[in-house]
Amino acid sequence: MRSPGTVTRREFAALSAGAVLAAAGCRAAPYRRGDFARADESPVVALAAADYGVDFADLITRGLRELRVDLLGRRVLLKPNLVEYEPGTVINTHPSVVIGAAVACRRLGAREVMVAEGPGHRRDLEYLLGSTGLLEELESERVPFVDLNHDDVEAVPLRSWFTTLGELALPQSLLRADIIVSMPKLKTHHWAGVTCSMKNLFGVVPGAVYGWPKNVLHFQGIHESILDIVATVRPQLAIVDGVVGMEGDGPILGTPKHAGVLLLGRDPVAVDATAARVMGLRPERIHYLAEAGHFLGHLDAGKIPMRGERIERFVTPFAVLPAFAALRA
Amino acid sequence: MTSRARDAHTRVVAALHQSRNGDGGWPYYRGKQSRLEPTAWALLGTTLPVEATPLPAWAAPGGLLVEPSTRQVNYAFNALAALSASAERERAHELTRRIVRALVDARGVVIDSSPVIRQDTTLQGWSWTAGTFTWVEPTAWCMIALKQWAADFGGARLRLDVAERVMRDRACAGGGWNFGNGTVYGQALPAHVPPTAVGVLALQDQANDPLVTAALAHLEQHALLEGSTMALALSVIAVLAVGRSVDALVPALIERCVSAQLTSNIATLGMAACALDAVVRGGRPRGLALPRGASA
């Protein structure tokens, strides 16, 4: 099934992608460099997961220990990608991965773990949670779910200014979390090229304030909006469901593509750049990733030491739409 | 079935009262801040007067209501608030008149057309928020408000004509609507139940139009399959508005209300209360059904 909002957003993306970023390249950076200190290196952990029958709690615990993530006493918000439901498709982060992450965070001492999402298409969460099977998993482990589309909000000044928004109303549950974990599905994207832990954060923007889809972000430019949201929200962790991803006309209408990998890291830019490389794509050719590599994190493979399994074993070229042929490695 | 519906209605209304905030409004989830949409739905579900809520205090100088906590104007929820404020009245409440007058002037923006899409991007219905594109749900809600209360407002007829063209333009090939477009890149897209129900409400005065009959058929085939409180409640409201039987839908709605009412989104509870109220009365949904034979 195609996303009903596709055309408008693609048009907006096409109109704005690159144009504003190109303009930004000709003037002072639209952020204060001092606000974005980066570590010298950004390790990314790659773990093999052949299918969704593996013990994700064990696997993710191992990955988080490898990254030396300290969750003791922390309030953790897990943000999966939950957009639409169509039987037999691979649109959303798999419930087993989501619940595995919740259990892992508890094992590592998190004081509170919640799953939170604000779907950009369907606003009927009762339907979406039930049909995807996530509700059953959440109930089995007694993990609370926060509806970010309808949470209380606070106006937050943006920490970069690629868009002209200046501020965004963001959910209080998000703002009060100690650790925000972006948990995307590994997918190609028909407007942005790649959607992973950075693009996944569109879901934190509340629909009850901005509508369905979150159209103001498309008018402002998808690439620009991704940068401003990530710069402002600053997720501390990313866990990518790359077990079965989506190639071609993602994020909704693409084809399942097995990659058999779980990627974890603290730096969303490094994680997304690695995800792009797994898909056989060049991250420096993806507008928002290229720009993010200047201030939000590391894009250069030389700055991304790989832990866990050798990443080469997971690299499998994902098909892309003709408009994105230039992204191929 | 009526006694079960009455019991369910009583429980849902009690849950609404229990989740009401001290300021008289309702949040989306219990204990949160009062918001426009759940307060409007709770008014429709409980038949309380709008003066008992904070909505009159949220009116901005232009007439539209602005939530203090978000400082954003949402056209769809303003239309719903306009309808809820006058649900029990024969003449429009002043709040309703001011909102509807402002909605007549609000519209989605035009974007460039593209050869790869069928959608007419020049049609200006209503957007969710100012400065963005026209979408089905805000257009439908504003249509209902204008049809109900703007018959004598200059410009309303023209806006409704364009809005109806939007609804026809965005309809899915198999009947009904989804949150966005009916066709993209030559591929027909399926309808979803909640926007289809709202679309039927917007066009309830044309119940024999093939566009509406196809949408009703979609509701009858899919409401039970989607099966959520929102899908069922909005379907019951829409089907009752056009005077058709909801016997097949009500048991499932009652079941959902019993199992989910205390943890649900309160706007959705309000939808359920509104639907069950009409079922119990054996009538049409308060505040959302146009007078028989109405035409703005």
Side-chain angles (χ1 to χ4, degrees):
Chain A
M1 190 200 85
R2 277 190 183 275
S3 160
T6 300
V7 170
T8 303
R9 283 182 285 186
R10 180 181 286 185
E11 289 207 328
F12 297 155
L15 286 168
S16 61
V20 174
L21 291 176
C26 299
R27 62 171 192 262
Y31 50 85
R32 282 185 291 267
R33 289 193 182 276
D35 289 348
F36 298 97
R38 292 182 292 176
D40 292 339
E41 292 185 329
S42 296
V44 170
V45 179
L47 299 170
D51 55 45
Y52 290 107
V54 307
D55 186 334
F56 285 101
D58 277 355
L59 205 59
I60 293 170
T61 302
R62 203 177 112 203
L64 295 177
R65 284 188 172 135
E66 185 76 40
L67 289 167
R68 298 180 184 176
V69 175
D70 180 11
L71 298 180
L72 196 61
R74 304 296 188 91
R75 178 183 292 165
V76 178
L77 184 147
L78 304 174
K79 161 60 179 83
N81 188 213
L82 184 68
V83 189
E84 266 283 1
Y85 174 72
E86 283 296 318
T89 60
V90 291
I91 297 168
N92 306 305
T93 310
H94 196 282
S96 300
V97 179
V98 179
I99 214 67
V103 173
C105 290
R106 284 176 173 166
R107 280 183 190 165
L108 294 174
R111 172 168 56 93
E112 187 180 342
V113 180
M114 68 193 89
V115 175
E117 169 66 307
H121 293 185
R122 290 212 188 227
R123 61 178 310 216
D124 185 354
L125 255 178
E126 184 185 334
Y127 167 76
L128 203 49
L129 288 174
S131 59
T132 57
L134 183 55
L135 181 65
E136 193 177 345
E137 295 278 4
L138 294 170
E139 287 179 344
S140 73
E141 291 293 336
R142 296 177 176 272
V143 177
F145 183 89
V146 178
D147 174 357
L148 295 179
N149 275 332
H150 301 103
D151 198 11
D152 285 352
V153 300
E154 291 176 18
V156 176
L158 296 177
R159 297 179 69 196
S160 68
W161 312 287
F162 290 91
T163 69
T164 59
L165 290 168
E167 67 176 30
L168 272 175
L170 291 174
Q172 286 184 350
S173 299
L174 180 88
L175 300 173
R176 290 172 185 171
D178 299 317
I179 305 282
I180 296 165
V181 186
S182 181
M183 297 193 64
K185 189 80 165 172
L186 182 68
K187 294 187 284 190
T188 54
H189 192 285
H190 58 189
W191 316 307
V194 167
T195 174
C196 205
S197 74
M198 294 176 66
K199 171 69 175 67
N200 182 41
L201 293 187
F202 263 39
V204 307
V205 176
V209 180
Y210 296 105
W212 290 266
K214 296 152 186 184
N215 207 186
V216 67
L217 303 180
H218 310 126
F219 271 84
Q220 289 284 337
I222 290 178
H223 297 266
E224 294 79 3
S225 295
I226 292 171
L227 288 162
D228 280 353
I229 293 170
V230 176
T232 304
V233 173
R234 303 303 301 269
Q236 289 88 346
L237 271 172
I239 301 174
V240 182
D241 171 6
V243 181
V244 179
M246 180 184 281
E247 66 177 357
D249 194 4
I252 306 294
L253 292 164
T255 307
K257 176 78 171 178
H258 183 267
V261 67
L262 209 61
L263 297 172
L264 300 90
R266 293 170 180 265
D267 173 350
V269 182
V271 170
D272 286 13
T274 304
R277 291 179 178 117
V278 166
M279 292 189 278
L281 305 174
R282 297 181 65 166
E284 68 277 11
R285 294 185 179 176
I286 298 163
H287 292 303
Y288 69 86
L289 267 178
E291 191 65 38
H294 295 308
F295 74 112
L296 282 175
H298 288 300
L299 195 69
D300 179 356
K303 298 275 191 182
I304 308 174
M306 293 304 304
R307 308 264 171 83
E309 308 283 341
R310 291 181 64 248
I311 194 69
E312 290 78 9
R313 66 173 281 199
F314 303 111
V315 173
T316 176
F318 276 43
V320 292
L321 294 178
F324 293 102
L327 301 185
R328 287 192 180 287
Chain B
M1 186 171 72
T2 306
S3 67
R4 288 190 65 220
R6 185 175 293 110
D7 289 346
H9 179 249
T10 301
R11 289 169 62 107
V12 172
V13 169
L16 283 172
H17 284 298
Q18 288 164 18
S19 54
R20 193 177 186 191
N21 283 335
D23 65 2
W26 278 267
Y28 278 109
Y29 292 95
R30 203 167 180 176
K32 303 278 188 175
Q33 295 172 343
S34 295
R35 302 286 291 273
L36 184 52
E37 187 194 18
T39 299
W41 274 114
L43 282 177
L44 288 167
T46 60
T47 69
L48 287 168
V50 71
E51 288 80 4
T53 76
L55 296 193
W58 293 357
L64 292 169
L65 306 186
V66 181
E67 291 176 326
S69 63
T70 67
R71 294 180 287 157
Q72 294 273 346
V73 171
N74 183 307
Y75 297 133
F77 301 159
N78 262 275
L80 185 66
L83 291 160
S84 71
S86 296
E88 295 294 294
R89 300 166 69 98
E90 291 189 1
R91 295 173 63 98
H93 189 285
E94 180 56 23
L95 192 73
T96 299
R97 289 185 65 81
R98 288 172 57 82
I99 292 171
V100 172
R101 191 177 295 282
L103 288 176
V104 170
D105 294 329
R107 65 198 65 207
V109 302
V110 171
I111 63 169
D112 291 340
S113 62
S114 162
V116 299
I117 60 170
R118 178 197 56 75
Q119 176 187 355
D120 185 345
T121 58
T122 66
L123 294 174
Q124 292 179 278
W126 283 268
S127 52
W128 287 99
T129 59
T132 56
F133 191 55
T134 293
W135 297 96
V136 165
E137 288 163 274
T139 296
W141 282 118
C142 291
M143 286 177 76
I144 305 164
L146 263 63
K147 285 182 177 182
Q148 185 82 282
W149 298 113
D152 58 340
F153 286 6
R157 180 71 263 169
L158 184 60
R159 294 306 315 283
L160 285 167
D161 287 347
V162 174
E164 186 178 319
R165 290 171 59 199
V166 170
M167 300 301 287
R168 292 186 186 283
D169 183 63
R170 305 291 177 86
C172 299
W177 293 269
N178 53 44
F179 80 94
N181 309 313
T183 306
V184 177
Y185 289 90
Q187 184 169 329
L189 311 176
H192 302 157
V193 168
T196 297
V198 180
V200 168
L201 268 180
L203 295 165
Q204 60 185 278
D205 49 349
Q206 299 171 61
N208 294 322
D209 187 299
L211 183 72
V212 182
T213 56
L216 282 163
H218 180 85
L219 291 184
E220 287 164 358
Q221 290 165 15
H222 292 87
L224 291 171
L225 291 174
E226 288 197 12
S228 66
T229 312
M230 179 187 287
L232 291 163
L234 288 177
S235 295
V236 167
I237 289 168
V239 173
L240 284 176
V242 297
R244 290 170 63 154
S245 170
V246 292
D247 288 353
L249 301 175
V250 172
L253 176 60
I254 291 170
E255 184 66 29
R256 292 309 306 163
C257 291
V258 169
S259 63
Q261 70 180 36
L262 292 176
T263 55
S264 287
N265 179 319
I266 289 163
T268 307
L269 279 187
M271 296 173 200
C274 181
L276 289 169
D277 168 70
V279 170
V280 169
R281 286 186 292 103
R284 300 168 74 222
R286 284 186 218 267
L288 301 176
L290 300 174
R292 294 284 188 196
S295 179

